[in-house]
Amino acid sequence: MTATTRTLGRSGIEVSALGMGCWAIGGPFWAGDQPCGWGEVDDDESVATIRRAAELGVTLFDTSDAYGTGHSELILGRALAGRRDDVVIATKWGNTIDPATRQLTGTDPSPAYLRRALEGSLTRLGTDYVDLYQLHLNDLPIAVAADLLGTLEELVAEGKLRWYGWSTDHADRAAAWGEAGPHCTAVQHAFNVLHDAAEVLAACEAHHLASLNRSPLAMGLLTGKFTASSTLGPDDVRGIAPDWLRYFRDGRPVPLWLDRVAAVREVLRSGGRTLAQGSLAWIWARSDATIPIPGCRTVAQAEENAGALAHGPLAPAELAEVERLLADLRAEPVAAM
Protein backbone atom coordinates (compact mmCIF):
# COMPACT_ATOMS: atom_id res chain seq x y z
CA MET A 1 0.00 0.00 0.00
CA THR A 2 1.16 3.52 -0.71
CA ALA A 3 -0.02 6.73 0.92
CA THR A 4 -2.50 8.41 -1.39
CA THR A 5 -3.35 11.35 0.87
CA ARG A 6 -1.42 14.14 2.55
CA THR A 7 -2.28 16.91 5.00
CA LEU A 8 -2.63 20.43 3.63
CA GLY A 9 -0.13 22.10 5.93
CA ARG A 10 -1.27 23.24 9.36
CA SER A 11 -4.93 23.23 8.27
CA GLY A 12 -5.39 19.57 9.08
CA ILE A 13 -7.35 19.16 5.83
CA GLU A 14 -6.70 15.78 4.23
CA VAL A 15 -6.24 15.99 0.45
CA SER A 16 -5.06 13.63 -2.25
CA ALA A 17 -1.28 13.46 -2.48
CA LEU A 18 -1.74 14.61 -6.07
CA GLY A 19 -3.71 17.68 -7.12
CA MET A 20 -4.82 18.88 -10.53
CA GLY A 21 -3.58 22.19 -11.90
CA CYS A 22 -6.20 24.07 -13.95
CA TRP A 23 -4.09 26.64 -15.81
CA ALA A 24 -4.30 24.90 -19.20
CA ILE A 25 -8.09 24.48 -19.17
CA GLY A 26 -8.48 28.26 -19.02
CA GLY A 27 -7.72 28.47 -22.73
CA PRO A 28 -5.94 31.36 -24.46
CA PHE A 29 -5.27 34.65 -22.69
CA TRP A 30 -2.62 37.33 -22.99
CA ALA A 31 -0.67 40.06 -21.27
CA GLY A 32 -0.44 42.51 -24.14
CA ASP A 33 1.08 40.50 -27.00
CA GLN A 34 2.50 37.80 -24.69
CA PRO A 35 0.45 34.58 -24.76
CA CYS A 36 -0.16 33.27 -21.24
CA GLY A 37 -2.33 30.23 -21.95
CA TRP A 38 -1.70 26.83 -23.47
CA GLY A 39 -3.68 27.18 -26.67
CA GLU A 40 -7.26 26.34 -27.54
CA VAL A 41 -9.21 23.98 -25.32
CA ASP A 42 -12.34 21.85 -25.54
CA ASP A 43 -14.49 22.81 -22.56
CA ASP A 44 -16.42 19.54 -22.59
CA GLU A 45 -13.15 17.60 -22.51
CA SER A 46 -11.96 19.83 -19.65
CA VAL A 47 -15.09 19.04 -17.65
CA ALA A 48 -14.68 15.33 -18.35
CA THR A 49 -11.01 15.56 -17.30
CA ILE A 50 -11.83 17.15 -13.96
CA ARG A 51 -14.54 14.62 -13.24
CA ARG A 52 -12.29 11.70 -14.21
CA ALA A 53 -9.55 12.99 -11.92
CA ALA A 54 -12.07 13.15 -9.08
CA GLU A 55 -13.23 9.59 -9.83
CA LEU A 56 -9.60 8.44 -9.55
CA GLY A 57 -9.19 9.99 -6.11
CA VAL A 58 -7.92 13.51 -6.82
CA THR A 59 -9.55 15.89 -4.34
CA LEU A 60 -7.44 19.07 -4.71
CA PHE A 61 -8.04 21.35 -7.69
CA ASP A 62 -5.89 24.47 -8.14
CA THR A 63 -6.89 27.38 -10.37
CA SER A 64 -6.67 31.19 -10.55
CA ASP A 65 -8.83 34.07 -11.68
CA ALA A 66 -5.98 34.85 -14.12
CA TYR A 67 -6.22 31.54 -16.00
CA GLY A 68 -8.23 32.38 -19.09
CA THR A 69 -9.21 35.56 -17.22
CA GLY A 70 -11.79 33.65 -15.23
CA HIS A 71 -12.59 30.89 -17.72
CA SER A 72 -10.74 28.18 -15.77
CA GLU A 73 -12.79 28.99 -12.66
CA LEU A 74 -16.02 28.83 -14.66
CA ILE A 75 -15.14 25.40 -16.06
CA LEU A 76 -14.03 24.09 -12.67
CA GLY A 77 -17.27 25.29 -11.09
CA ARG A 78 -19.27 23.59 -13.85
CA ALA A 79 -17.39 20.32 -13.48
CA LEU A 80 -17.69 20.19 -9.70
CA ALA A 81 -21.33 21.24 -9.43
CA GLY A 82 -23.00 18.90 -6.97
CA ARG A 83 -19.61 17.62 -5.72
CA ARG A 84 -18.44 20.67 -3.76
CA ASP A 85 -18.28 18.92 -0.39
CA ASP A 86 -16.05 16.18 -1.79
CA VAL A 87 -13.23 18.43 -3.03
CA VAL A 88 -10.80 21.13 -1.97
CA ILE A 89 -10.73 24.17 -4.24
CA ALA A 90 -7.67 26.42 -4.34
CA THR A 91 -7.64 29.62 -6.38
CA LYS A 92 -5.55 32.80 -6.55
CA TRP A 93 -5.82 36.56 -6.86
CA GLY A 94 -3.62 39.60 -7.48
CA ASN A 95 -3.73 40.05 -11.25
CA THR A 96 -6.38 42.32 -12.72
CA ILE A 97 -8.29 40.81 -15.63
CA ASP A 98 -10.51 41.76 -18.55
CA PRO A 99 -12.54 38.68 -19.51
CA ALA A 100 -14.00 40.45 -22.58
CA THR A 101 -10.56 40.72 -24.22
CA ARG A 102 -8.90 37.80 -22.38
CA GLN A 103 -6.21 40.21 -21.19
CA LEU A 104 -4.28 40.48 -17.94
CA THR A 105 -4.36 44.23 -17.35
CA GLY A 106 -2.03 44.67 -14.37
CA THR A 107 -1.81 43.85 -10.69
CA ASP A 108 -3.53 45.14 -7.57
CA PRO A 109 -2.19 44.14 -4.14
CA SER A 110 -4.66 46.26 -2.17
CA PRO A 111 -6.96 44.84 0.53
CA ALA A 112 -9.97 46.33 -1.28
CA TYR A 113 -9.14 44.48 -4.48
CA LEU A 114 -8.61 41.27 -2.51
CA ARG A 115 -12.26 41.41 -1.44
CA ARG A 116 -13.52 42.21 -4.93
CA ALA A 117 -11.42 39.49 -6.51
CA LEU A 118 -12.68 36.88 -4.06
CA GLU A 119 -16.31 37.76 -4.80
CA GLY A 120 -15.61 37.33 -8.52
CA SER A 121 -13.99 33.95 -7.96
CA LEU A 122 -16.85 32.72 -5.75
CA THR A 123 -19.36 33.65 -8.45
CA ARG A 124 -17.44 31.92 -11.23
CA LEU A 125 -16.79 28.82 -9.12
CA GLY A 126 -20.42 28.60 -8.03
CA THR A 127 -19.55 28.31 -4.36
CA ASP A 128 -19.79 30.42 -1.22
CA TYR A 129 -16.31 29.65 0.10
CA VAL A 130 -12.79 28.88 -1.11
CA ASP A 131 -10.74 26.29 0.73
CA LEU A 132 -7.35 27.84 -0.10
CA TYR A 133 -6.93 31.40 -1.40
CA GLN A 134 -3.45 32.23 -2.69
CA LEU A 135 -1.71 35.50 -3.44
CA HIS A 136 -0.65 35.27 -7.10
CA LEU A 137 2.09 37.93 -7.06
CA ASN A 138 5.39 36.08 -6.82
CA ASP A 139 7.67 39.05 -6.14
CA LEU A 140 5.41 41.30 -4.04
CA PRO A 141 7.46 42.96 -1.27
CA ILE A 142 6.91 41.34 2.11
CA ALA A 143 5.84 44.63 3.69
CA VAL A 144 3.12 45.14 1.08
CA ALA A 145 1.93 41.54 1.39
CA ALA A 146 1.74 41.90 5.17
CA ASP A 147 -1.00 44.49 4.75
CA LEU A 148 -3.22 41.77 3.27
CA LEU A 149 -3.13 39.45 6.26
CA GLY A 150 -5.69 41.35 8.29
CA THR A 151 -8.23 41.24 5.47
CA LEU A 152 -7.54 37.56 4.86
CA GLU A 153 -8.20 36.80 8.52
CA GLU A 154 -11.45 38.79 8.34
CA LEU A 155 -12.52 36.70 5.33
CA VAL A 156 -11.76 33.53 7.28
CA ALA A 157 -13.95 34.80 10.12
CA GLU A 158 -16.70 35.61 7.61
CA GLY A 159 -16.59 32.05 6.26
CA LYS A 160 -15.68 33.07 2.72
CA LEU A 161 -12.37 31.27 2.83
CA ARG A 162 -10.97 28.57 5.07
CA TRP A 163 -7.20 29.01 4.66
CA TYR A 164 -4.80 31.04 2.54
CA GLY A 165 -1.29 30.98 1.12
CA TRP A 166 1.17 32.63 -1.23
CA SER A 167 2.25 31.51 -4.68
CA THR A 168 5.89 32.53 -4.52
CA ASP A 169 9.31 31.12 -5.33
CA HIS A 170 11.01 33.11 -2.56
CA ALA A 171 11.85 31.37 0.73
CA ASP A 172 11.81 34.64 2.70
CA ARG A 173 8.26 35.36 1.56
CA ALA A 174 7.17 31.84 2.43
CA ALA A 175 8.66 32.20 5.89
CA ALA A 176 7.17 35.67 6.43
CA TRP A 177 3.60 34.52 5.90
CA GLY A 178 4.28 31.27 7.73
CA GLU A 179 5.27 33.29 10.77
CA ALA A 180 2.69 36.10 10.59
CA GLY A 181 -0.40 34.48 9.05
CA PRO A 182 -2.48 32.45 11.54
CA HIS A 183 -4.46 30.78 8.75
CA CYS A 184 -1.63 30.57 6.22
CA THR A 185 -1.27 26.89 5.39
CA ALA A 186 0.45 26.58 2.00
CA VAL A 187 3.05 27.99 -0.34
CA GLN A 188 2.81 27.24 -4.03
CA HIS A 189 6.15 27.19 -5.85
CA ALA A 190 7.92 25.73 -8.86
CA PHE A 191 9.48 22.38 -8.02
CA ASN A 192 10.47 19.39 -10.14
CA VAL A 193 13.32 17.03 -10.94
CA LEU A 194 14.95 19.66 -13.14
CA HIS A 195 14.29 22.62 -10.85
CA ASP A 196 15.03 21.97 -7.20
CA ALA A 197 13.74 24.48 -4.64
CA ALA A 198 15.33 23.28 -1.43
CA GLU A 199 15.15 26.64 0.37
CA VAL A 200 11.44 27.16 -0.22
CA LEU A 201 10.75 23.54 0.71
CA ALA A 202 12.72 24.00 3.94
CA ALA A 203 10.68 27.11 4.79
CA CYS A 204 7.47 25.15 4.25
CA GLU A 205 8.66 22.35 6.52
CA ALA A 206 9.83 24.77 9.22
CA HIS A 207 6.45 26.54 9.35
CA HIS A 208 4.22 23.49 8.82
CA LEU A 209 3.03 24.68 5.43
CA ALA A 210 2.04 22.51 2.50
CA SER A 211 4.43 22.75 -0.45
CA LEU A 212 2.13 22.91 -3.49
CA ASN A 213 4.28 22.14 -6.49
CA ARG A 214 3.50 23.88 -9.75
CA SER A 215 5.30 22.83 -12.94
CA PRO A 216 5.98 19.38 -11.45
CA LEU A 217 6.36 18.07 -15.01
CA ALA A 218 8.45 21.04 -16.19
CA MET A 219 5.78 22.49 -18.49
CA GLY A 220 5.44 19.09 -20.17
CA LEU A 221 9.12 18.36 -20.63
CA LEU A 222 8.97 15.54 -18.07
CA THR A 223 6.19 13.75 -19.91
CA GLY A 224 8.68 12.59 -22.54
CA LYS A 225 6.57 13.78 -25.47
CA PHE A 226 8.97 16.52 -26.60
CA THR A 227 12.06 16.08 -28.77
CA ALA A 228 14.58 18.52 -30.23
CA SER A 229 12.36 18.92 -33.30
CA SER A 230 9.14 19.65 -31.41
CA THR A 231 7.55 23.03 -32.04
CA LEU A 232 4.77 24.96 -30.30
CA GLY A 233 2.47 27.58 -31.74
CA PRO A 234 2.23 31.31 -31.00
CA ASP A 235 -0.95 30.92 -28.89
CA ASP A 236 0.95 28.76 -26.39
CA VAL A 237 2.94 30.33 -23.55
CA ARG A 238 5.77 27.96 -24.48
CA GLY A 239 5.62 29.05 -28.12
CA ILE A 240 6.65 32.63 -27.33
CA ALA A 241 8.28 31.98 -24.00
CA PRO A 242 8.55 34.80 -21.45
CA ASP A 243 11.90 35.32 -19.74
CA TRP A 244 10.95 33.30 -16.65
CA LEU A 245 10.17 30.15 -18.67
CA ARG A 246 13.39 28.18 -18.78
CA TYR A 247 12.46 25.02 -20.63
CA PHE A 248 11.41 26.35 -24.03
CA ARG A 249 12.75 29.05 -26.34
CA ASP A 250 11.34 30.15 -29.71
CA GLY A 251 8.75 27.40 -29.51
CA ARG A 252 11.28 24.59 -29.05
CA PRO A 253 12.59 22.65 -26.04
CA VAL A 254 15.98 23.90 -24.89
CA PRO A 255 18.54 21.13 -25.62
CA LEU A 256 20.19 21.48 -22.21
CA TRP A 257 16.93 20.51 -20.51
CA LEU A 258 16.29 17.62 -22.88
CA ASP A 259 19.73 16.29 -21.94
CA ARG A 260 18.82 16.45 -18.27
CA VAL A 261 15.60 14.56 -18.86
CA ALA A 262 17.52 11.89 -20.77
CA ALA A 263 19.98 11.53 -17.90
CA VAL A 264 17.34 10.43 -15.40
CA ARG A 265 14.73 8.87 -17.67
CA GLU A 266 15.43 5.24 -16.83
CA VAL A 267 15.57 5.74 -13.06
CA LEU A 268 12.30 7.64 -13.07
CA ARG A 269 10.66 4.90 -15.15
CA SER A 270 11.64 2.18 -12.67
CA GLY A 271 8.95 -0.06 -11.24
CA GLY A 272 6.72 0.24 -14.27
CA ARG A 273 6.16 3.98 -13.96
CA THR A 274 5.88 6.31 -16.91
CA LEU A 275 8.34 9.21 -17.02
CA ALA A 276 5.65 11.57 -15.75
CA GLN A 277 4.70 9.25 -12.90
CA GLY A 278 8.35 8.89 -11.89
CA SER A 279 8.75 12.65 -11.88
CA LEU A 280 5.81 12.97 -9.48
CA ALA A 281 7.28 10.15 -7.38
CA TRP A 282 10.53 12.11 -7.05
CA ILE A 283 8.61 15.05 -5.58
CA TRP A 284 6.85 12.86 -3.03
CA ALA A 285 10.15 11.29 -2.04
CA ARG A 286 11.68 14.68 -1.28
CA SER A 287 9.31 15.60 1.55
CA ASP A 288 6.02 14.68 3.20
CA ALA A 289 4.99 18.33 2.76
CA THR A 290 4.92 18.18 -1.03
CA ILE A 291 1.73 17.99 -3.10
CA PRO A 292 2.39 18.19 -6.86
CA ILE A 293 -0.37 19.77 -8.95
CA PRO A 294 0.32 18.78 -12.58
CA GLY A 295 -1.85 20.44 -15.17
CA CYS A 296 -3.87 18.38 -17.62
CA ARG A 297 -6.59 19.00 -20.17
CA THR A 298 -7.46 15.53 -21.40
CA VAL A 299 -8.92 12.49 -19.70
CA ALA A 300 -5.87 10.46 -20.74
CA GLN A 301 -3.52 12.89 -19.01
CA ALA A 302 -5.61 12.82 -15.84
CA GLU A 303 -5.51 9.02 -15.84
CA GLU A 304 -1.75 8.88 -16.30
CA ASN A 305 -1.11 11.43 -13.56
CA ALA A 306 -3.47 9.72 -11.11
CA GLY A 307 -1.79 6.41 -11.89
CA ALA A 308 1.26 7.70 -10.04
CA LEU A 309 -0.63 7.35 -6.76
CA ALA A 310 -0.53 3.55 -6.97
CA HIS A 311 3.28 3.59 -7.24
CA GLY A 312 3.96 6.11 -4.47
CA PRO A 313 7.29 7.87 -3.84
CA LEU A 314 10.63 6.80 -5.27
CA ALA A 315 12.56 4.49 -3.01
CA PRO A 316 15.47 6.14 -1.13
CA ALA A 317 18.00 4.43 -3.40
CA GLU A 318 16.18 5.66 -6.51
CA LEU A 319 16.05 9.21 -5.17
CA ALA A 320 19.78 9.09 -4.41
CA GLU A 321 20.51 7.81 -7.93
CA VAL A 322 18.57 10.70 -9.52
CA GLU A 323 20.56 13.17 -7.46
CA ARG A 324 23.83 11.46 -8.41
CA LEU A 325 22.99 11.60 -12.11
CA LEU A 326 22.01 15.27 -11.95
CA ALA A 327 24.73 16.49 -9.60
CA ASP A 328 27.06 17.79 -12.32
CA LEU A 329 24.23 19.04 -14.52
CA ARG A 330 22.66 21.01 -11.67
CA ALA A 331 25.94 22.88 -11.29
CA GLU A 332 25.85 24.14 -14.87
CA PRO A 333 24.65 27.73 -15.33
CA VAL A 334 21.21 28.10 -16.87
CA ALA A 335 20.58 31.84 -16.52
CA ALA A 336 21.14 32.45 -20.24
CA MET A 337 18.69 29.72 -21.33
Side-chain angles (χ1 to χ4, degrees):
M1 293 290 292
T2 61
T4 58
T5 61
R6 292 198 162 183
T7 303
L8 188 67
R10 61 177 71 153
S11 73
I13 298 172
E14 184 178 86
V15 297
S16 51
L18 177 79
M20 174 178 163
C22 298
W23 179 4
I25 66 171
F29 65 109
W30 294 264
D33 295 329
Q34 172 65 57
C36 300
W38 296 63
E40 293 293 335
V41 290
D42 179 330
D43 290 344
D44 289 338
E45 179 73 9
S46 297
V47 168
T49 299
I50 294 163
R51 292 177 178 170
R52 182 59 176 148
E55 289 172 358
L56 294 170
V58 174
T59 61
L60 173 64
F61 295 86
D62 177 81
T63 185
S64 169
D65 60 3
Y67 300 159
T69 59
H71 190 68
S72 175
E73 290 182 325
L74 285 168
I75 296 302
L76 187 61
R78 172 182 154 192
L80 297 177
R83 311 170 191 218
R84 179 67 183 91
D85 294 340
D86 301 326
V87 298
V88 171
I89 294 177
T91 192
K92 312 179 193 71
W93 92 97
N95 294 282
T96 55
I97 62 176
D98 182 357
T101 61
R102 291 286 187 112
Q103 284 282 341
L104 301 181
T105 57
T107 62
D108 189 339
S110 69
Y113 183 70
L114 158 57
R115 283 188 169 275
R116 293 200 304 275
L118 178 58
E119 292 300 328
S121 289
L122 292 174
T123 298
R124 287 185 291 270
L125 289 163
T127 185
D128 55 5
Y129 70 96
V130 167
D131 297 287
L132 176 64
Y133 203 37
Q134 302 159 98
L135 177 61
H136 205 182
L137 301 177
N138 193 336
D139 300 322
L140 193 67
I142 291 172
V144 178
D147 290 340
L148 297 166
L149 292 174
T151 302
L152 287 165
E153 290 295 327
E154 290 171 4
L155 290 165
V156 171
E158 293 166 18
K160 293 186 176 181
L161 59 91
R162 296 173 70 190
W163 295 85
Y164 55 83
W166 193 343
S167 180
T168 180
D169 295 306
H170 302 283
D172 58 344
R173 288 162 172 79
W177 269 29
E179 292 169 0
H183 283 85
C184 179
T185 196
V187 167
Q188 185 171 144
H189 62 102
F191 188 50
N192 59 55
V193 175
L194 306 177
H195 174 80
D196 203 341
E199 292 183 359
V200 182
L201 183 57
C204 289
E205 292 175 333
H207 297 283
H208 308 290
L209 306 174
S211 162
L212 295 189
N213 312 125
R214 52 179 152 79
S215 296
L217 301 180
M219 309 285 283
L221 210 60
L222 286 165
T223 65
K225 66 182 180 181
F226 290 107
T227 68
S229 61
S230 298
T231 58
L232 291 152
D235 63 345
D236 191 309
V237 67
R238 299 166 297 180
I240 305 176
D243 290 341
W244 55 263
L245 204 164
R246 292 177 161 190
Y247 308 116
F248 296 83
R249 193 59 57 205
D250 299 324
R252 292 180 177 274
V254 174
L256 172 66
W257 295 110
L258 287 174
D259 290 344
R260 295 184 186 195
V261 173
V264 294
R265 183 188 306 273
E266 292 311 310
V267 179
L268 294 178
R269 293 178 60 188
S270 61
R273 297 179 177 94
T274 66
L275 178 60
Q277 291 168 348
S279 300
L280 297 171
W282 178 89
I283 290 174
W284 288 324
R286 282 295 308 276
S287 169
D288 289 340
T290 57
I291 304 172
I293 48 172
C296 53
R297 51 181 170 175
T298 68
V299 169
Q301 289 170 342
E303 291 174 341
E304 180 178 2
N305 291 343
L309 291 166
H311 293 283
L314 291 183
E318 293 168 336
L319 178 65
E321 179 65 3
V322 170
E323 295 313 295
R324 185 189 70 79
L325 290 168
L326 286 179
D328 291 342
L329 291 172
R330 289 197 196 282
E332 293 182 14
V334 294
M337 292 296 110

